[in-house]
Amino acid sequence: MDEQIFPPSPNWYSSNVISCGESGRIAYASRNNIVLVNTPAALTVDCKIICEAHKDKVNAITFCKSVGNNSYTNWLASVGGDSVVKMWDTNLCTVVLAHNAHGMADKITCMDWSPADPHLVVSADESNLVCWDLKSNTTRCVKPGKLLPTSLSCSSHEKSIVALGTKYGLVCVVDIRGDGKILYRMRGHSTEVVSLSWCPVSQNVCSQQEENKDMLLASGGKDKEVYVWRAGGDGRYELLLNLPDAPLTGQHRKGPSASAGGSVNWVSVCWATGETLLTNSLWGELLSWNVRKIAAANRKGEGTQRKPWKLIHSCHARGLFSIMCIPCMECGVLNNTLEEVKTDAKQCEKNHIVWTAAQDRHIIGCDLHTGKVAFDIATMGGFVYCLAVSPLDTNRIAVGVGDAMIRVWNLSNKSKIDITAFWQKINGKVTALAWHPIEEDRLAYGTAEGRVGIMNVSSGGPPTVLKLYHRRTVYSLTWGPSLSKGSSEAADKHLLLYSCGDGEVVIYDPKKPDAAPHLLNSELRKESSLQNKGSKTEVSWNSECSLLAVGNDDGSVQVWKIPDLLEIKLYPHKKAIQSLVWHPASTYTDTEFSVCRNWLAVASNETVIKVYDLKRLLEGSATTDRKPMAELSGHLSRVVSVSWSPHISGQLVSASYDGTAQVWDVRSQQPIANCSLHSDAVLCCLWSPLDPDYIITGSADNTLCVWKISKQTNKVPIENRKQKKQAKMHSKTVSKMLAQNAEDKLPQGNSVGNNGTSDAVAGGIEYATTEKGSIGKQLSKSTRLQIRKSHFPVSSQQRSLGKVEDFARIQRMLSGSNIGPSFFGPREDLVKLLDAEEELHTKNGHFEFVQEMEHWKGNLANIIKEATERKSLSDWLVSLSPMISQRVWRETVEVYAKQLTDAGFYHKAASYLLVLNKVNEAVKMLSSNKLHREALSIAKCRLSEDDPLIKNVLHEWATHLINGGSYEQATECLLATGDMVDAAKVIAKRPEPEALCIAVQIAQKAGDLDLANAFLKKSVCEYLLHEKWESALEMLHHNINNNNTLKFLVIVHKTLITMRNSSMESSDKDNWAWLQGYSKNTEPLTEKIKALWVDYSGTPSIDVIQEGILEKNFSLPLSAKELWLAVSENVCAACSTNGEERLHHLIHALGKCYQFELCNPDDNSLLQLSMWLAPRGPLQDELFKVSDHSNMYLHKSIRCYIVAEICRWVENISVGSETKRVSQSSKDVEGSCDGHDDGVTTNIVVASHSYNGKEVTTSKDDEKVQSEEKNGLKVSITSEEIVQPGKDAENSEESFCIIERESNDKNREEVNTDSDKVYTIVENEQISQLQTTAGNLKEITIAKDNEDWACVCEILKQYFPDVIEESAIRHFKNQLEVKNLEQQLANCIAKSQQNTSPLSDEHSENEKLLATLTKLKQEITVFEAQRVNVPNPFISYCKMVNVCQIIAEKFPVEGNELLENVKSSWNLKIGSLS
């Protein structure tokens, strides 16, 4: 065993919480501390802890990533929740530089150190990026907008490129030059992006073209996906990597979500070599991905490999959240060449360590190539509350920690630190531990939530949680026998678990985990009259289980002898007892029982420890001396834990809130050693079971320390309370000063105290000054001058030494002696004084004072040279440079212009370039930084009008405007350059028809008539989609070309839309009338359109129009507006042609409506178009009749569409009619029948089912009110049918009677009746009075039934053979087979390409498939030449069957006969095909 510290755990859920340096040192953030770990040996961890490195949680840290840069090798950058960025010297553990440019109100979320520029550190808050130049110690703010960044990574190749991952899944690539510009917004992740990493080579290793410098960027998000982006190319993703959905090792593991209590998944990414990307799985495993091989597999069409990842290690038991490594040098990472990337990683001899941090509180370093774990650092995620050594296996030590985990440290493993963590069912801070005295694998634990459990540390299974009793913290646990006097020997061997918490001591029986525990007081009362009064704080059995001690909150201790229950009460303290520990029965140095075995050490909230000898009580005497045998004083605060040495009798170690652990010799009552390694209260202590010279302590600073007694120099704590209080006050004062400095942005030194284990105090932090865009407020010039009072602080300090020193100096001057650096000596002394002043100003960051003094000394050239290197030139220095030479002045101005450009002062930089007459450079600089107005102004004023640079600026400006969507201004730029065609194309990007009209004019002026015609059609298309027909006609009228075709299209479209709008007001009654051939409109649509064209143009002739007038691809699914525009094109072509060609166009129009209705079942577009094209109905119109046998197949196609539409419509209204039947009771009808004789006409309209003129409405009552023959249909109405509404309404059928009264009253009631009765609709009539008035009705009108099902039956009877024709069925079957064969052929070809030597059988199989496919396609071509297109016969057949069933319900004979014919015909056709 060696001295070591188990450090605190890294902060969870931060990918940049750990960093590794080139020197082999790693650092990580733990709460507001920074832990530095040198590459550890096998059994020791050499670490330093910078305590309170920030006032709030440390969010990110990073070492310098520029490999080989010795200036910052040991420097570490950190950011915290206090909005301060600090630069640390890890050798001294001190702050070297710092800045607070973000402001106190803005939380810094992420940071990175640029690998491409070792002087650049970039940090981000919610809205700003701050670029910190370490060389000049200045900061500059870049404001890309409120992106809410969660991760940041600087490019490895371009120092001005930074990648940001945002909270809502966006990955942004930002150019930080000047005011900053977002180059790409890459959307792939659906949730927060938590990790970013740049490929260490600039070339795209996934591409076959090696010259592509795409600068790949990997991103990981909470959506469990990894994207690889071409961040330096086109901004699109190269690869998408899907993580494995199960553990690769087959073990039961928990991902991040399982322990975090929510659906949180964390994916960290890290490039290790040019082609190797490291990620984690969701189960704590480290994976590597060869992106080159994955991309090659994708190019070959193989898709994602079965296992594209490689498992490096699975040593973490829980979710992994951070991966860090230095890119491998031997694997071609540093020289950015693909040739070196191709170097086999196995040839690399050097071990390259990859560091990972996970939720299991382990930091693991493994070899990149072999996966062998080299380092395993166990950490503590909370306060170390308790320690316990196994009494049977002293090599095992249990550690209870506040991170809800129990760690068991196996000291017998000599090769490594062997620590096993247990967390299942703990769910709280572990505050108490107790090993079973007999069963070595059983360990009891208690938590801060009152939970008590027992686990088997060897099996690794979940613990047994005992029945909950405690409501708050469990203070202590101990195993002991039952207090019952009559217990048997077997019962004595069965130990119970005693638990102290909530002021009670309770007793658990481990054999009955679900049973309620017993109270100690209850057991005492049951066995004797004794009881323990007061609130208990501690309980402890001695090793022989013969004495039981209980501590109380009043400082008293009660001890009982078992089984006699002899009691003695001690009063060692006045405050609550914290620890009761019995001396072991024997130690390693005792030959027999120890003479101290009956000693009891008592610690409380006081600083004194008292030890009692209870030997006489054990011998049966209750008169034991109640005075302590020893009092140990020395601690400065309460003592919370004590432990006896198992090696030497009478030695004790104690832990205190004063932050130290004290070793005592109890017999002499003298301190032996004191350890002050911890920075916070020590909560527990334990003597090493293996070495008497080592102590183990746990603390509230989240560390577990193993320290050597013989190496401690102090015997007692050296710091008293007064000093501690002063130090605390000093720390608060320093924090306050820092906070004030952060608000004021003071660019001056401040001291930072680090009261941690490093004992490091930064003497003076050099805070960075701010350049353009600082966020916080700046001090005024007068305030700064007030702070820096003098150029000569050293001289002023000499003058403050007093008059005696002044007199002495004068005496030396009189004697001619050297008085040292002074104003009054020779030049050399003055120069030395100025050098001393400059040194102090440099240390304090007052560089302007240094420059002024150097100017005084005449070292102007050195000043300018140094300022050039530091990038700190100023206007003042530039104005002085002509004093040296004109050449120096020109060089200085040029360098200063570049400095201003890098800082974002582009206007000022341009002015300095113009001073040098570098007009072209100034224009190019402004244009490249998107200041095109300024660049164009200078170019046009300084250059000739025909200079090509002016045109280049306009082109760049136009490109910038196009990317930003400003097409109008971009058009102006292109017109100014004379690029008319490009200008027309740009303005045509606007979808507005007005913009397209302008594009037409520009294209015509440019002489590109084809382009103008294309834009003209596009403009007409947009006008028609917006139903702006007059605007379209006006535009076409003013166009120079003859556009009668487009004008005709406008007329057709206007006609169709007008008719569609008017048909929306029509009812199903009009549709039934069309089916019967009684439509009001008798003029076909094509004839109507021709007449309208004659009225508009005055010419009856129409040129032949082909389909696709607008050259617009109407892809499915269409909108309603697009449908009617597409139909308008077909109708135009149909109106301009005759015969077979006309039918072709009409079939295309019907087919588009049919396809639209398949996606929109409630639409009636096909029915409306059919009614317009064939107004005389499907049985009488010539469109459905075969006039020429050559057109027979085309007429069949039209009839197929009509039948399909009629069946769809009839099916819809039949379903809808079921929902329209409403039953009303007679009480709902109000009013009276008075008024029939006052001249008001009442009509009775009876609608009955009929077929071929036969009467189908019957009545049970033979007594008729009236009977009349009309239109060949006999209808009978009885008074009973009228006066008994609502009876058996649920059995009523479709027959109904409508009583209409010609009045202005629109109220109407509908009543259902029996099957032999009728529906009755009455207007304000009292139904009960209809019987007396029915005979007095003035007029009865009998109309024919609107729902002419006989007509539907006749249409289906005539046309259904066309629908289920064998050729149509075969056509659709062929289409399905073609798709299947194409897929099979593609799979076979891909399979044959994988085989280097394909088999002859495979080749012949491919030939057969290809031949079959060719034959089927030929059949499809022949069918389409004959029929053009038909509706899907399978769908049409199903709908015809449904309609036949509906007809059969009304006319059983005719309907069933038709249904049988349809089914038998279908089965016959299907059978012949099969």
Side-chain angles (χ1 to χ4, degrees), residues 140 178 771-772 873-875 878 893-912 925:
R140 179 172 55 86
E771 291 182 359
K772 176 186 177 183
L873 286 171
S874 63
D875 296 335
V878 173
V893 171
E894 189 171 355
V895 172
Y896 189 42
K898 187 177 183 305
Q899 176 185 320
L900 291 171
T901 302
D902 294 340
F905 297 94
Y906 305 119
H907 297 85
K908 194 173 182 179
S911 299
Y912 275 96
M925 183 271 297

Coordinates of all heavy atoms in Angstrom, one line a residue, residues 140 178 771-772 873-875 878 893-912 925:
R140 N -12.1 39.4 -28.3 CA -12.9 40.0 -29.4 C -14.2 39.2 -29.4 O -14.3 38.0 -29.4 CB -12.2 39.9 -30.7 CG -13.0 40.5 -31.9 CD -12.2 40.5 -33.2 NE -11.6 39.2 -33.5 CZ -12.3 38.3 -34.2 NH1 -13.5 38.5 -34.6 NH2 -11.7 37.1 -34.4
G178 N -13.9 39.0 -38.2 CA -14.8 40.2 -38.2 C -16.0 40.0 -37.3 O -15.8 39.6 -36.1
E771 N -11.3 44.1 -27.4 CA -11.3 44.8 -28.6 C -12.7 45.1 -29.0 O -13.6 45.3 -28.2 CB -10.6 44.0 -29.7 CG -9.1 43.8 -29.5 CD -8.5 43.0 -30.6 OE1 -9.2 42.6 -31.5 OE2 -7.3 42.8 -30.5
K772 N -13.0 45.2 -30.3 CA -14.3 45.5 -30.8 C -15.3 44.5 -30.3 O -15.1 43.3 -30.4 CB -14.2 45.5 -32.3 CG -15.6 45.7 -33.0 CD -15.5 45.6 -34.5 CE -16.8 45.7 -35.1 NZ -16.7 45.6 -36.6
L873 N -0.3 46.8 -32.7 CA -0.1 48.1 -33.3 C -1.2 49.0 -33.0 O -2.4 48.6 -32.9 CB 0.2 47.9 -34.8 CG 1.5 47.3 -35.2 CD1 1.5 47.0 -36.7 CD2 2.7 48.2 -34.8
S874 N -0.9 50.3 -33.0 CA -2.0 51.3 -32.8 C -1.8 52.4 -33.7 O -0.7 52.5 -34.4 CB -1.9 51.8 -31.3 OG -0.7 52.4 -31.0
D875 N -2.7 53.3 -33.8 CA -2.6 54.5 -34.7 C -1.4 55.3 -34.3 O -0.7 55.9 -35.2 CB -3.9 55.3 -34.6 CG -5.1 54.5 -35.1 OD1 -4.9 53.6 -35.9 OD2 -6.2 54.9 -34.7
V878 N 1.7 53.7 -35.6 CA 1.8 53.9 -37.1 C 2.2 55.3 -37.5 O 3.0 55.5 -38.4 CB 0.5 53.5 -37.7 CG1 0.5 53.8 -39.2 CG2 0.2 52.0 -37.5
V893 N 2.2 50.1 -42.0 CA 0.8 50.3 -42.4 C 0.2 49.0 -42.9 O -1.0 48.7 -42.6 CB 0.8 51.5 -43.4 CG1 -0.6 51.6 -44.0 CG2 1.2 52.8 -42.8
E894 N 0.9 48.3 -43.7 CA 0.4 47.1 -44.3 C 0.1 46.0 -43.2 O -0.9 45.4 -43.2 CB 1.4 46.5 -45.3 CG 0.9 45.4 -46.1 CD 1.8 45.0 -47.3 OE1 2.8 45.7 -47.4 OE2 1.5 44.0 -47.9
V895 N 1.0 45.9 -42.2 CA 0.8 44.9 -41.1 C -0.4 45.4 -40.3 O -1.2 44.6 -39.9 CB 2.1 44.8 -40.3 CG1 1.8 44.0 -39.0 CG2 3.2 44.2 -41.1
Y896 N -0.5 46.7 -40.1 CA -1.6 47.2 -39.2 C -2.9 47.0 -40.0 O -3.9 46.7 -39.3 CB -1.4 48.7 -39.0 CG -2.3 49.3 -38.0 CD1 -2.7 48.6 -36.8 CD2 -2.9 50.5 -38.2 CE1 -3.6 49.1 -35.9 CE2 -3.8 51.1 -37.2 CZ -4.1 50.4 -36.1 OH -5.0 50.9 -35.2
A897 N -2.9 47.1 -41.3 CA -4.2 46.9 -42.0 C -4.6 45.4 -41.9 O -5.8 45.1 -41.7 CB -4.0 47.2 -43.5
K898 N -3.6 44.5 -41.9 CA -3.9 43.1 -41.7 C -4.4 42.8 -40.3 O -5.4 42.0 -40.1 CB -2.7 42.2 -42.0 CG -3.0 40.7 -42.0 CD -1.8 39.9 -42.4 CE -2.1 38.4 -42.4 NZ -2.7 37.9 -41.2
Q899 N -3.8 43.5 -39.3 CA -4.2 43.3 -37.9 C -5.7 43.8 -37.8 O -6.5 43.2 -37.1 CB -3.3 44.1 -37.0 CG -3.7 44.1 -35.5 CD -2.8 45.0 -34.7 OE1 -1.6 45.0 -34.9 NE2 -3.4 45.7 -33.8
L900 N -6.0 45.0 -38.4 CA -7.4 45.5 -38.3 C -8.3 44.6 -39.0 O -9.5 44.4 -38.5 CB -7.4 46.9 -38.9 CG -6.7 48.0 -38.2 CD1 -6.6 49.2 -39.0 CD2 -7.3 48.3 -36.8
T901 N -7.9 44.0 -40.1 CA -8.8 43.0 -40.8 C -9.1 41.8 -40.0 O -10.2 41.4 -39.9 CB -8.1 42.6 -42.1 OG1 -7.9 43.8 -42.9 CG2 -9.0 41.6 -42.9
D902 N -8.1 41.2 -39.3 CA -8.3 40.1 -38.5 C -9.2 40.4 -37.3 O -9.9 39.6 -36.8 CB -6.9 39.5 -38.0 CG -6.1 39.0 -39.1 OD1 -6.7 38.6 -40.1 OD2 -4.9 38.9 -38.9
A903 N -9.1 41.7 -36.8 CA -9.9 42.1 -35.7 C -11.3 42.5 -36.1 O -12.1 42.8 -35.2 CB -9.2 43.2 -34.9
G904 N -11.6 42.6 -37.4 CA -12.9 43.0 -37.8 C -13.1 44.4 -38.1 O -14.2 44.8 -38.4
F905 N -12.1 45.2 -38.1 CA -12.2 46.7 -38.4 C -11.9 46.9 -39.8 O -10.9 47.4 -40.2 CB -11.2 47.5 -37.5 CG -11.5 47.4 -36.0 CD1 -10.8 46.5 -35.2 CD2 -12.4 48.2 -35.4 CE1 -11.0 46.4 -33.9 CE2 -12.6 48.1 -34.1 CZ -12.0 47.2 -33.3
Y906 N -12.9 46.4 -40.7 CA -12.6 46.4 -42.1 C -12.6 47.8 -42.7 O -11.8 48.0 -43.6 CB -13.7 45.6 -42.8 CG -13.8 44.2 -42.2 CD1 -15.0 43.7 -41.6 CD2 -12.7 43.3 -42.3 CE1 -15.1 42.5 -41.1 CE2 -12.8 42.0 -41.7 CZ -14.0 41.6 -41.2 OH -14.1 40.4 -40.6
H907 N -13.4 48.7 -42.3 CA -13.4 50.0 -42.9 C -12.1 50.8 -42.6 O -11.5 51.4 -43.5 CB -14.6 50.8 -42.3 CG -15.9 50.3 -42.6 ND1 -16.5 49.3 -41.9 CD2 -16.8 50.6 -43.6 CE1 -17.7 49.0 -42.4 NE2 -17.9 49.7 -43.5
K908 N -11.6 50.6 -41.4 CA -10.4 51.3 -41.0 C -9.2 50.6 -41.8 O -8.3 51.3 -42.2 CB -10.2 51.2 -39.5 CG -9.1 52.1 -39.0 CD -9.1 52.0 -37.4 CE -8.0 53.0 -36.9 NZ -8.0 52.9 -35.4
A909 N -9.3 49.3 -41.9 CA -8.2 48.6 -42.6 C -8.2 49.1 -44.1 O -7.1 49.2 -44.7 CB -8.4 47.1 -42.5
A910 N -9.4 49.2 -44.7 CA -9.4 49.7 -46.1 C -8.8 51.1 -46.2 O -8.1 51.4 -47.2 CB -10.9 49.7 -46.5
S911 N -9.1 52.0 -45.2 CA -8.5 53.3 -45.3 C -7.0 53.3 -45.3 O -6.3 54.0 -46.0 CB -9.0 54.1 -44.1 OG -10.4 54.2 -44.1
Y912 N -6.4 52.4 -44.5 CA -4.9 52.3 -44.4 C -4.4 51.7 -45.7 O -3.3 52.1 -46.2 CB -4.5 51.5 -43.2 CG -4.4 52.3 -42.0 CD1 -5.4 52.3 -41.0 CD2 -3.2 53.0 -41.7 CE1 -5.3 53.1 -39.9 CE2 -3.1 53.8 -40.5 CZ -4.1 53.8 -39.6 OH -4.0 54.5 -38.5
M925 N -10.6 43.1 -50.1 CA -10.7 42.8 -48.7 C -12.2 43.1 -48.3 O -12.8 42.3 -47.6 CB -9.7 43.6 -47.9 CG -9.8 43.3 -46.4 SD -11.0 44.4 -45.5 CE -10.3 46.0 -45.8

